[in-house]
Amino acid sequence: MGSDRFRLDGQVALVTGGARGLGQAMATALAQAGAAVCVADILPAEETLRLVAAAVHPGHALVTDLTDLDPDGAAVLVQRVTEHLGAPTILVNNAGIIRRAPALSHSWVDWQQTITLDLSVPFLLSQALARQLVARESPGKIVNVASMLSYQGGYLVPGYTAAKSGIAGLTRALANEWARYGINVNAIAPG
């Protein structure tokens, strides 16, 4: 059996923030496990697509600014993945930002941008994917990227800590609510 337990043949994955770093590594690993992978990032993802193609699985990149995402935009993004690779069953909510400043001087703009990209966007994309999965009566998997700061609090990163703490709570809430639909929701906390 071995590594066959982790095969994802026939699955389609959407990875946000997959143009570099952890997102690129996760997109590549998903492709190596057999999934077709779509990367959504504000940056071009040619290198990631080369790595995905090396695994002999199709890949596609959507260059998009997720900070403007609303519920309709989330549904459209999931639909665009379906048009290019097939209906997604895996979502990795990896895209995020961090703004460093003391809490006393942390700007409202930095707070809003961080909460939007690091917490609101994962909720919107999870909801959009889950709606499709439930309508198709298909199981699925959602992986949220939290942070060790979800538990430790951090220093000079109040917006990021709040957002990543929210991701940890949101993950538990969605896991509880969507388990009955066969949608598995987990978070990882790199660090």
Side-chain angles (χ1 to χ4, degrees), residues 7-69:
R7 295 299 305 167
L8 298 171
D9 299 300
Q11 302 293 309
V12 175
L14 169 60
V15 179
T16 66
R20 60 184 177 174
L22 290 173
Q24 183 179 72
M26 290 184 269
T28 303
L30 288 164
Q32 290 169 344
V37 177
C38 182
V39 174
D41 203 310
I42 197 167
L43 301 171
E46 286 87 8
E47 182 181 353
T48 302
L49 290 180
R50 281 193 294 277
L51 294 168
V52 166
V56 194
H57 295 285
H60 185 73
L62 298 171
V63 177
T64 184
D65 183 355
L66 296 172
T67 59
D68 295 329
L69 201 68

Side-chain angles (χ1 to χ4, degrees), residues 174-186:
L174 298 182
N176 290 337
E177 189 173 335
W178 294 345
R180 68 187 177 125
Y181 300 115
I183 302 171
N184 181 280
V185 186
N186 283 295

Side-chain angles (χ1 to χ4, degrees), residues 139-165:
K141 302 209 180 305
I142 297 171
V143 178
N144 294 319
V145 178
S147 167
M148 292 304 294
L149 299 186
S150 303
Y151 313 102
Q152 298 169 344
Y155 185 76
L156 302 177
V157 287
Y160 181 82
T161 298
K164 293 302 183 175
S165 296

